[in-house]
Structure formats: structure tokens, C-alpha cells
Amino acid sequence: MACWHPTMLILNSRIKLFVNDYPGIEFQDWMNPPVLCILIQLELVNCTNCQSLPALGELQLLKVLRIQGMDSVVNIGDEF
């Protein structure tokens, strides 16, 4: 069984994370705000089983957010 890994790009000290086709129902510890606090761009695409979003409102440097194909989400953080 292949292990799923996100794609992270570091360009000029700017961090971009692209998560596509993540199969889990919730994101693991690598998607918690302390780990993602340096992100400027986050794309969550076709994570069709995920039922909740990470605490995106706590990402103070985030400038671009794309959420697509996440029809199972039933919970978002209190920060919104």
C-alpha cells in the first residue's frame, strides 16, 4: 500500500502546501496550526472523505486558500 504525502513547495521562504486526494476522514498532526503557521498558500482539493477542516483561521500569514471537492465536511473551527 502506498503512503500518502502532501506536496509542499518552498519558494523564496514562502511556503505553499497542496493537498490533493487525501483519503482520510480527518487530517493528521501535520495539518495543525503550529506546523502550518508559515504557510502563505494552502490548497485542499478532492479530499472527499474529510469531515472537518483544520483551524485555518489561525494561519495569520495565509494569503491564498482554495478548498474544492470536500463535500463530506460537516465541521469547521470556532475561529470563523
Side-chain angles (χ1 to χ4, degrees):
M1 176 184 236
C3 185
W4 188 94
H5 295 284
T7 301
M8 184 175 287
L9 300 174
I10 302 174
L11 303 170
N12 299 325
S13 300
R14 297 182 180 189
I15 308 294
K16 300 177 181 186
L17 177 62
F18 303 95
V19 179
N20 191 13
D21 292 322
Y22 179 70
I25 60 170
E26 62 183 26
F27 290 107
Q28 303 299 317
D29 289 340
W30 51 262
M31 280 295 280
N32 289 327
V35 176
L36 302 179
C37 66
I38 57 174
L39 280 183
I40 61 157
Q41 182 174 344
L42 175 61
E43 296 192 19
L44 304 173
V45 179
N46 297 326
C47 304
T48 56
N49 297 324
C50 285
Q51 297 177 358
S52 62
L53 293 174
L56 301 174
E58 297 178 16
L59 305 179
Q60 296 178 0
L61 300 177
L62 193 66
K63 295 182 184 210
V64 177
L65 174 62
R66 177 179 169 217
I67 300 174
Q68 179 181 337
M70 295 187 65
D71 300 332
S72 296
V73 171
V74 294
N75 183 34
I76 61 172
D78 292 335
E79 72 278 3
F80 286 108

